[in-house]
Amino acid sequence: MGTMIDHVHAPDLHRYEIRDDDAVAGFAEYRLPDDVHVDFVHTEVDDAYEGQGLASGLVAFALADVREQGKRIVPHCPYVARWIKKHAGEYDDIVDWPT
């Protein structure tokens, strides 16, 4: 593990990544069901990086990026859904809960 943790949007892979130097330490995958929504479907952090709060930082980065793009979030991923509920009110204006 290096010391340079960074968050990167990898649109060609449809995911946001946690990078430790050049290694991918975790990611949040999404799909684009239409021109308005970013549907988060899965978040994963490598076992070697668990317990460091990296997934939380990644979700904060990803949701801020979606907001900046003027799009809306659909949190199918259980982790993303819990994170949004934990940060109640911060993203209500851009979340469409799955039915």
Side-chain angles (χ1 to χ4, degrees), residues 31-99:
R31 64 184 188 92
L32 301 171
D34 52 45
D35 292 339
V36 177
H37 293 94
V38 178
D39 183 356
F40 287 91
V41 294
H42 179 71
T43 301
E44 183 176 311
V45 174
D46 188 279
D47 291 345
Y49 295 89
E50 281 189 5
Q52 299 179 37
L54 298 181
S56 180
L58 177 64
V59 171
F61 172 80
L63 300 189
D65 188 64
V66 171
R67 174 177 272 148
E68 190 174 298
Q69 293 177 47
K71 295 190 176 185
R72 300 184 62 77
I73 299 157
V74 180
H76 274 106
C77 169
Y79 183 85
V80 173
R82 280 193 310 274
W83 193 95
I84 290 170
K85 288 177 182 174
K86 186 177 177 183
H87 297 84
E90 290 182 45
Y91 293 93
D92 289 352
D93 59 320
I94 61 167
V95 173
D96 290 325
W97 291 98
T99 54

Side-chain angles (χ1 to χ4, degrees), residues 19-30:
R19 292 196 185 157
D20 181 3
D21 293 325
D22 290 330
V24 175
F27 56 86
E29 290 181 317
Y30 62 85

